[in-house]
Amino acid sequence: MSILLDECVIAALSDATAMMREGGDPAVSELESTIRTQRVGILKQRTLLGAAGIDV
């Protein structure tokens, strides 16, 4: 459940970032970096749970 929620939040942040990029917001690069970091974390969590035999 937590992973699904994380993925929904990341998707919403990605959409917001796209709008910010179009508006020329200078904070976009930092936000994109944070989103990438979170996505990597989610992938690692899925991998570890999958290796443990836990279906996500």
Side-chain angles (χ1 to χ4, degrees), residues 1-8 45-46 49 54-56:
M1 176 80 172
S2 177
I3 293 175
L4 182 59
L5 182 60
D6 289 347
E7 290 174 342
C8 289
Q45 190 174 16
R46 282 185 169 275
L49 291 173
I54 300 170
D55 189 28
V56 283

Side-chain angles (χ1 to χ4, degrees), residues 9-54:
V9 170
I10 292 298
L13 283 172
S14 295
D15 292 343
T17 302
M19 288 187 280
M20 290 170 63
R21 188 180 315 109
E22 291 172 6
D25 193 312
V28 169
S29 62
E30 185 177 338
L31 186 54
E32 287 175 331
S33 175
T34 302
I35 290 171
R36 277 192 299 277
T37 300
Q38 291 301 316
R39 283 188 172 147
V40 168
I42 290 169
L43 288 173
K44 287 180 179 179
Q45 190 174 16
R46 282 185 169 275
T47 301
L48 290 172
L49 291 173
I54 300 170

